[in-house]
Protein backbone atom coordinates (compact mmCIF):
# COMPACT_ATOMS: atom_id res chain seq x y z
CA UNK A 1 0.00 0.00 0.00
CA UNK A 2 1.22 3.47 -0.88
CA UNK A 3 2.23 5.35 2.25
CA UNK A 4 0.87 8.77 2.94
CA UNK A 5 3.11 11.46 1.53
CA UNK A 6 4.66 13.08 4.55
CA UNK A 7 6.09 16.50 3.92
CA UNK A 8 6.20 19.93 5.55
CA UNK A 9 3.73 22.24 3.81
CA UNK A 10 5.55 25.47 4.45
CA UNK A 11 8.80 26.74 5.91
CA UNK A 12 7.47 26.86 9.48
CA UNK A 13 6.51 23.21 9.28
CA UNK A 14 9.86 22.49 7.66
CA UNK A 15 11.71 24.06 10.60
CA UNK A 16 9.56 22.18 13.10
CA UNK A 17 10.00 18.82 11.37
CA UNK A 18 13.72 19.07 10.64
CA UNK A 19 15.02 20.48 13.88
CA UNK A 20 17.88 18.03 14.39
CA UNK A 21 20.34 16.07 12.30
CA UNK A 22 18.68 12.92 13.63
CA UNK A 23 15.28 13.98 12.26
CA UNK A 24 16.82 14.32 8.79
CA UNK A 25 18.40 10.86 8.95
CA UNK A 26 15.09 9.37 10.02
CA UNK A 27 13.35 11.09 7.12
CA UNK A 28 15.93 9.75 4.65
CA UNK A 29 15.29 6.21 5.86
CA UNK A 30 11.53 6.63 5.48
CA UNK A 31 11.91 8.10 2.00
CA UNK A 32 14.35 5.47 0.83
CA UNK A 33 12.46 2.50 2.27
CA UNK A 34 8.84 3.66 2.24
CA UNK A 35 7.36 0.30 3.27
CA UNK A 36 10.11 -1.19 5.42
CA UNK A 37 13.83 -1.83 5.35
CA UNK A 38 14.74 -5.26 4.07
CA UNK A 39 18.35 -6.41 4.28
CA UNK A 40 19.67 -7.00 0.72
CA UNK A 41 21.71 -9.97 2.01
CA UNK A 42 19.31 -11.93 4.18
CA UNK A 43 15.93 -10.21 3.70
CA UNK A 44 15.58 -9.60 7.39
CA UNK A 45 13.86 -6.39 8.38
CA UNK A 46 15.36 -6.30 11.88
CA UNK A 47 18.10 -3.69 12.19
CA UNK A 48 19.62 -1.05 14.36
CA UNK A 49 21.30 2.21 13.43
CA UNK A 50 24.99 2.73 14.08
CA UNK A 51 26.53 5.99 15.18
CA UNK A 52 27.95 6.39 11.67
CA UNK A 53 24.48 6.32 10.09
CA UNK A 54 24.66 2.78 8.88
CA UNK A 55 21.89 0.27 9.00
CA UNK A 56 23.19 -2.77 10.86
CA UNK A 57 21.28 -5.97 10.13
CA UNK A 58 20.41 -7.75 13.38
CA UNK A 59 20.35 -11.08 11.59
CA UNK A 60 23.42 -11.26 9.31
CA UNK A 61 25.33 -8.32 10.89
CA UNK A 62 26.02 -6.70 7.51
CA UNK A 63 25.88 -2.92 7.26
CA UNK A 64 24.55 -0.53 4.67
CA UNK A 65 25.11 3.20 4.59
CA UNK A 66 21.83 5.12 4.52
CA UNK A 67 23.20 7.48 1.89
CA UNK A 68 24.96 5.00 -0.41
CA UNK A 69 23.42 5.08 -3.86
CA UNK A 70 21.76 8.43 -3.20
CA UNK A 71 22.92 11.92 -4.15
CA UNK A 72 24.03 12.34 -0.50
CA UNK A 73 26.56 9.50 -0.72
CA UNK A 74 29.77 10.25 1.16
CA UNK A 75 28.71 13.78 1.97
CA UNK A 76 30.65 15.35 4.81
CA UNK A 77 28.19 18.18 5.32
CA UNK A 78 25.25 17.95 7.71
CA UNK A 79 22.00 16.68 6.25
CA UNK A 80 20.36 19.75 7.74
CA UNK A 81 22.34 21.86 5.29
CA UNK A 82 21.29 19.65 2.38
CA UNK A 83 17.65 19.80 3.46
CA UNK A 84 17.73 23.58 3.78
CA UNK A 85 19.28 23.97 0.36
CA UNK A 86 16.76 21.60 -1.19
CA UNK A 87 13.96 23.60 0.36
CA UNK A 88 15.54 26.82 -0.83
CA UNK A 89 15.91 25.51 -4.39
CA UNK A 90 12.31 24.35 -4.70
CA UNK A 91 10.57 27.03 -2.64
CA UNK A 92 11.76 29.94 -4.72
CA UNK A 93 9.93 30.39 -8.00
CA UNK A 94 13.20 31.33 -9.67
CA UNK A 95 15.33 28.61 -8.10
CA UNK A 96 18.86 29.23 -6.92
CA UNK A 97 22.16 29.91 -8.62
CA UNK A 98 25.57 28.69 -7.53
CA UNK A 99 26.58 32.32 -6.98
CA UNK A 100 23.93 33.17 -4.43
CA UNK A 101 24.25 29.72 -2.86
CA UNK A 102 27.97 30.29 -2.27
CA UNK A 103 27.32 33.53 -0.42
CA UNK A 104 24.08 32.72 1.34
CA UNK A 105 24.91 29.24 2.59
CA UNK A 106 28.51 30.02 3.35
CA UNK A 107 30.08 27.51 1.00
CA UNK A 108 33.81 27.91 0.87
CA UNK A 109 33.95 27.61 -2.88
CA UNK A 110 31.77 28.33 -5.87
CA UNK A 111 32.73 24.90 -7.19
CA UNK A 112 31.12 23.13 -4.22
CA UNK A 113 27.89 25.11 -4.50
CA UNK A 114 27.79 24.51 -8.25
CA UNK A 115 28.32 20.76 -7.77
CA UNK A 116 25.57 20.51 -5.16
CA UNK A 117 23.07 22.18 -7.47
CA UNK A 118 24.06 19.84 -10.28
CA UNK A 119 23.63 16.81 -8.03
CA UNK A 120 20.14 18.07 -7.22
CA UNK A 121 19.35 18.68 -10.90
CA UNK A 122 20.16 15.04 -11.62
CA UNK A 123 17.33 14.20 -9.24
CA UNK A 124 14.88 16.51 -10.97
CA UNK A 125 14.17 14.28 -13.90
CA UNK A 126 12.14 11.14 -13.51
CA UNK A 127 12.28 8.41 -16.10
CA UNK A 128 8.99 6.97 -17.21
CA UNK A 129 7.15 10.23 -16.78
CA UNK A 130 3.58 10.44 -17.98
CA UNK A 131 3.12 11.85 -21.45
CA UNK A 132 1.50 15.21 -22.13
CA UNK A 133 -2.07 15.00 -23.39
CA UNK A 134 -4.88 17.13 -24.75
CA UNK A 135 -3.79 20.14 -26.79
CA UNK A 136 -0.03 20.49 -27.19
CA UNK A 137 1.93 23.25 -28.93
CA UNK A 138 5.33 22.17 -30.26
CA UNK A 139 8.06 24.49 -31.49
CA UNK A 140 11.84 24.78 -31.60
CA UNK A 141 13.98 27.53 -30.18
CA UNK A 142 17.67 28.37 -29.77
CA UNK A 143 18.86 28.55 -26.16
CA UNK A 144 22.22 28.99 -24.50
CA UNK A 145 25.51 29.95 -26.07
CA UNK A 146 25.85 32.53 -23.33
CA UNK A 147 22.53 34.35 -23.58
CA UNK A 148 23.79 37.68 -22.30
CA UNK A 149 26.67 37.81 -24.74
CA UNK A 150 28.81 39.61 -22.20
CA UNK A 151 31.61 37.09 -22.18
CA UNK A 152 31.52 35.98 -25.76
CA UNK A 153 30.38 38.94 -27.78
CA UNK A 154 28.90 38.37 -31.16
CA UNK A 155 28.04 34.75 -30.70
CA UNK A 156 25.04 33.94 -32.76
CA UNK A 157 22.58 31.13 -33.15
CA UNK A 158 25.36 28.90 -34.44
CA UNK A 159 26.71 28.67 -30.87
CA UNK A 160 23.35 28.08 -29.29
CA UNK A 161 21.60 24.78 -28.91
CA UNK A 162 18.40 23.91 -30.67
CA UNK A 163 15.70 22.84 -28.24
CA UNK A 164 12.32 21.42 -29.13
CA UNK A 165 9.62 22.38 -26.66
CA UNK A 166 6.21 20.78 -26.05
CA UNK A 167 3.64 22.69 -24.03
CA UNK A 168 0.35 21.31 -22.74
CA UNK A 169 -2.38 23.95 -23.14
CA UNK A 170 -5.54 24.11 -21.06
CA UNK A 171 -7.45 27.10 -22.41
CA UNK A 172 -5.17 30.06 -21.83
CA UNK A 173 -3.27 28.21 -19.12
CA UNK A 174 -0.16 26.10 -19.48
CA UNK A 175 -0.03 22.81 -17.63
CA UNK A 176 3.19 20.87 -18.19
CA UNK A 177 6.23 21.30 -20.43
CA UNK A 178 8.88 19.03 -21.93
CA UNK A 179 12.20 19.94 -23.53
CA UNK A 180 14.75 18.10 -25.62
CA UNK A 181 17.98 19.28 -27.18
CA UNK A 182 18.14 18.23 -30.83
CA UNK A 183 20.86 18.44 -33.46
CA UNK A 184 18.58 19.90 -36.13
CA UNK A 185 14.89 20.49 -36.86
CA UNK A 186 14.41 17.54 -39.16
CA UNK A 187 11.58 15.02 -38.99
CA UNK A 188 14.11 12.44 -37.72
CA UNK A 189 14.41 14.46 -34.50
CA UNK A 190 10.99 16.11 -34.21
CA UNK A 191 8.69 13.13 -34.80
CA UNK A 192 10.35 10.82 -32.21
CA UNK A 193 10.18 13.69 -29.67
CA UNK A 194 6.43 13.98 -30.28
CA UNK A 195 5.99 10.22 -29.95
CA UNK A 196 8.04 10.10 -26.72
CA UNK A 197 6.38 13.01 -24.98
CA UNK A 198 2.79 13.23 -26.25
CA UNK A 199 -0.04 10.78 -25.68
CA UNK A 200 -1.57 9.48 -28.89
CA UNK A 201 -5.00 10.94 -29.57
CA UNK A 202 -3.74 14.39 -28.56
CA UNK A 203 -3.94 17.50 -30.73
CA UNK A 204 -0.49 18.67 -31.83
CA UNK A 205 -0.15 22.27 -33.04
CA UNK A 206 2.98 23.52 -34.83
CA UNK A 207 3.94 26.34 -37.17
CA UNK A 208 3.77 23.91 -40.07
CA UNK A 209 7.56 23.65 -40.50
CA UNK A 210 8.43 20.88 -42.96
CA UNK A 211 10.07 18.82 -40.22
CA UNK A 212 6.58 18.18 -38.88
CA UNK A 213 5.12 17.22 -42.28
CA UNK A 214 4.92 13.46 -41.49
CA UNK A 215 2.37 14.38 -38.80
CA UNK A 216 -0.17 15.09 -41.57
CA UNK A 217 -0.32 11.39 -42.38
CA UNK A 218 -0.67 10.19 -38.80
CA UNK A 219 -4.07 9.06 -37.63
CA UNK A 220 -2.93 8.57 -34.01
CA UNK A 221 -2.67 12.36 -33.55
CA UNK A 222 -4.84 15.31 -34.52
CA UNK A 223 -2.38 17.56 -36.32
CA UNK A 224 -2.89 21.31 -36.76
CA UNK A 225 -0.36 23.39 -38.73
CA UNK A 226 -0.46 27.15 -38.29
CA UNK A 227 2.03 28.60 -40.78
CA UNK A 228 3.04 32.22 -40.25
CA UNK A 229 3.23 32.97 -43.98
CA UNK A 230 0.09 34.81 -45.16
CA UNK A 231 -1.53 34.44 -41.71
CA UNK A 232 -1.14 38.14 -40.97
CA UNK A 233 -0.05 37.12 -37.49
CA UNK A 234 3.20 36.83 -35.61
CA UNK A 235 4.65 33.52 -34.39
CA UNK A 236 3.85 34.30 -30.75
CA UNK A 237 0.21 34.97 -31.67
CA UNK A 238 -0.17 31.67 -33.52
CA UNK A 239 1.56 29.56 -30.86
CA UNK A 240 1.22 31.75 -27.74
CA UNK A 241 1.78 29.07 -25.09
CA UNK A 242 5.02 27.64 -26.39
CA UNK A 243 6.38 31.14 -27.05
CA UNK A 244 5.58 32.16 -23.49
CA UNK A 245 7.48 29.15 -22.10
CA UNK A 246 10.34 29.96 -24.44
CA UNK A 247 10.61 33.48 -23.06
CA UNK A 248 10.25 32.30 -19.43
CA UNK A 249 13.13 29.84 -19.85
CA UNK A 250 15.35 32.52 -21.36
CA UNK A 251 14.39 35.00 -18.66
CA UNK A 252 15.26 32.42 -16.00
CA UNK A 253 18.63 31.63 -17.58
CA UNK A 254 19.45 35.31 -17.96
CA UNK A 255 18.06 36.29 -14.57
CA UNK A 256 18.85 33.63 -11.99
CA UNK A 257 21.89 32.31 -13.84
CA UNK A 258 22.90 35.56 -15.54
CA UNK A 259 23.24 33.74 -18.81
CA UNK A 260 26.19 31.77 -17.52
CA UNK A 261 25.18 28.29 -18.55
CA UNK A 262 27.44 26.23 -20.71
CA UNK A 263 25.88 24.27 -23.55
CA UNK A 264 27.22 21.09 -22.02
CA UNK A 265 24.95 21.47 -19.00
CA UNK A 266 21.90 23.06 -20.63
CA UNK A 267 19.78 19.90 -20.56
CA UNK A 268 20.05 19.72 -16.76
CA UNK A 269 18.97 23.33 -16.38
CA UNK A 270 15.99 22.55 -18.62
CA UNK A 271 15.18 19.61 -16.33
CA UNK A 272 15.21 21.95 -13.36
CA UNK A 273 13.00 24.48 -15.11
CA UNK A 274 10.50 21.78 -16.07
CA UNK A 275 10.58 20.25 -12.57
CA UNK A 276 9.52 23.54 -11.01
CA UNK A 277 7.24 24.72 -13.81
CA UNK A 278 5.30 21.46 -13.98
CA UNK A 279 4.50 21.71 -10.28
CA UNK A 280 3.65 25.40 -10.18
CA UNK A 281 0.03 24.59 -9.34
CA UNK A 282 0.98 22.55 -6.24
CA UNK A 283 -0.79 23.99 -3.22
CA UNK A 284 2.25 23.51 -1.02
CA UNK A 285 5.89 24.15 -1.85
CA UNK A 286 6.60 21.20 0.42
CA UNK A 287 5.21 18.92 -2.27
CA UNK A 288 8.14 19.89 -4.51
CA UNK A 289 10.54 19.25 -1.65
CA UNK A 290 9.00 15.81 -1.18
CA UNK A 291 9.31 14.93 -4.89
CA UNK A 292 12.90 16.12 -5.00
CA UNK A 293 13.75 14.12 -1.87
CA UNK A 294 11.99 11.05 -3.24
CA UNK A 295 14.10 11.23 -6.38
CA UNK A 296 17.28 12.21 -4.51
CA UNK A 297 17.29 8.95 -2.52
CA UNK A 298 16.94 7.02 -5.78
CA UNK A 299 19.50 8.91 -7.83
CA UNK A 300 23.17 7.97 -7.97
CA UNK A 301 25.57 10.71 -7.01
CA UNK A 302 27.74 12.50 -9.55
CA UNK A 303 31.06 14.09 -8.72
CA UNK A 304 32.43 17.42 -9.89
CA UNK A 305 34.81 15.51 -12.17
CA UNK A 306 32.02 13.49 -13.75
CA UNK A 307 29.85 16.57 -14.26
CA UNK A 308 32.61 18.53 -15.96
CA UNK A 309 34.08 15.64 -17.95
ZN1 LIG B 1 20.92 -9.16 6.84
Amino acid sequence: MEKEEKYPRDFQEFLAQFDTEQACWQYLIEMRWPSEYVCPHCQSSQYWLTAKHKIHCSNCQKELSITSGTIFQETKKPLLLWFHIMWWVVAQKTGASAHNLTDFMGFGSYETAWTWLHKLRRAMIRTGREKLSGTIEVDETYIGGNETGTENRGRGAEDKLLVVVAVECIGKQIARVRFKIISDATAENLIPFIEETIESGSTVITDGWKGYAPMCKRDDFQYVAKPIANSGKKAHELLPHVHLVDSLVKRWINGTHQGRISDKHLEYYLDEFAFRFNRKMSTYRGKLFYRLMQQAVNTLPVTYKEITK
Side-chain angles (χ1 to χ4, degrees):
M1 203 177 82
E2 194 76 13
K3 254 180 114 175
E4 195 196 341
E5 298 188 344
K6 223 177 85 188
Y7 56 85
R9 288 176 296 181
D10 52 41
F11 193 50
Q12 288 196 48
E13 289 190 9
F14 174 92
L15 290 175
Q17 184 171 347
F18 303 116
D19 55 347
T20 59
E21 196 60 10
Q22 199 48 45
C24 299
W25 284 103
Q26 198 51 47
Y27 193 70
L28 266 200
I29 295 173
E30 287 166 26
M31 291 299 285
R32 193 167 175 191
W33 294 283
S35 31
E36 68 171 351
Y37 176 78
V38 176
C39 173
H41 305 286
C42 74
Q43 275 71 52
S44 165
S45 53
Q46 302 295 310
Y47 67 89
W48 46 274
L49 294 172
T50 73
K52 287 189 170 169
H53 306 292
K54 287 189 171 161
I55 293 183
H56 184 107
C57 177
S58 314
N59 183 45
C60 73
Q61 317 301 324
K62 290 205 166 93
E63 291 188 344
L64 179 75
S65 160
I66 295 169
T67 55
S68 68
T70 75
I71 66 161
F72 311 106
Q73 184 172 301
E74 286 168 20
T75 186
K76 293 188 179 60
K77 298 278 190 188
L79 282 185
L80 272 169
L81 183 63
W82 274 104
F83 278 38
H84 273 264
I85 285 170
M86 289 170 78
W87 182 272
W88 201 51
V89 164
V90 295
Q92 299 184 102
K93 293 215 162 74
T94 50
S97 74
H99 270 287
N100 47 36
L101 191 64
T102 313
D103 303 339
F104 185 70
M105 290 291 179
F107 275 99
S109 76
Y110 173 81
E111 201 176 276
T112 309
W114 187 89
T115 309
W116 277 45
L117 288 175
H118 269 285
K119 282 177 197 268
L120 290 173
R121 276 182 202 113
R122 297 296 199 282
M124 288 185 186
I125 184 149
R126 191 157 50 98
T127 48
R129 304 181 290 190
E130 314 79 48
K131 293 179 174 182
L132 307 184
S133 64
T135 302
I136 321 292
E137 289 180 4
V138 180
D139 200 8
E140 324 89 58
T141 184
Y142 283 99
I143 304 181
N146 206 297
E147 290 283 341
T148 56
T150 48
E151 283 166 40
N152 293 284
R153 247 169 240 283
R155 291 179 73 181
E158 67 272 18
D159 290 321
K160 293 173 180 277
L161 292 176
L162 187 60
V163 178
V164 56
V165 187
V167 171
E168 196 177 46
C169 318
I170 301 176
K172 288 190 172 173
Q173 305 291 315
I174 298 169
R176 296 170 298 167
V177 298
R178 296 280 187 268
F179 302 97
K180 188 179 186 186
I181 297 170
I182 52 175
S183 52
D184 56 39
T186 54
E188 286 70 40
N189 287 321
L190 297 173
I191 304 302
F193 172 74
I194 289 173
E195 291 166 340
E196 284 157 23
T197 53
I198 303 174
E199 201 72 63
S200 60
S202 299
T203 301
V204 177
I205 308 172
T206 76
D207 60 5
W209 162 251
K210 63 182 180 186
Y212 299 106
M215 291 299 290
C216 303
K217 300 189 195 98
R218 300 283 291 250
D219 45 22
D220 50 348
F221 290 101
Q222 315 287 322
Y223 178 59
V224 181
K226 293 185 175 177
I228 302 168
N230 306 322
S231 70
K233 288 187 174 171
K234 297 202 168 99
H236 67 86
E237 295 171 322
L238 291 167
L239 303 171
H241 302 84
V242 73
H243 278 91
L244 177 62
V245 169
D246 183 16
S247 63
L248 289 173
V249 172
K250 286 172 181 164
R251 199 183 302 167
W252 177 65
I253 290 173
N254 287 330
T256 299
H257 302 288
Q258 303 182 330
R260 280 177 248 164
I261 289 179
S262 83
D263 290 353
K264 197 162 69 174
H265 305 302
L266 178 64
E267 66 169 299
Y268 300 106
Y269 287 89
L270 295 175
D271 287 342
E272 181 186 346
F273 182 91
F275 179 87
R276 197 176 288 106
F277 188 90
N278 293 346
R279 291 166 182 81
K280 64 191 179 306
M281 303 302 279
S282 293
T283 316
Y284 303 112
R285 304 312 285 174
K287 179 98 179 175
L288 279 80
F289 174 80
Y290 180 85
R291 283 282 167 260
L292 181 56
M293 186 64 77
Q294 203 175 35
Q295 289 166 218
V297 297
N298 288 298
T299 301
L300 289 169
V302 284
T303 62
Y304 178 77
K305 268 192 181 152
E306 287 163 347
I307 298 169
T308 52
K309 194 166 60 187

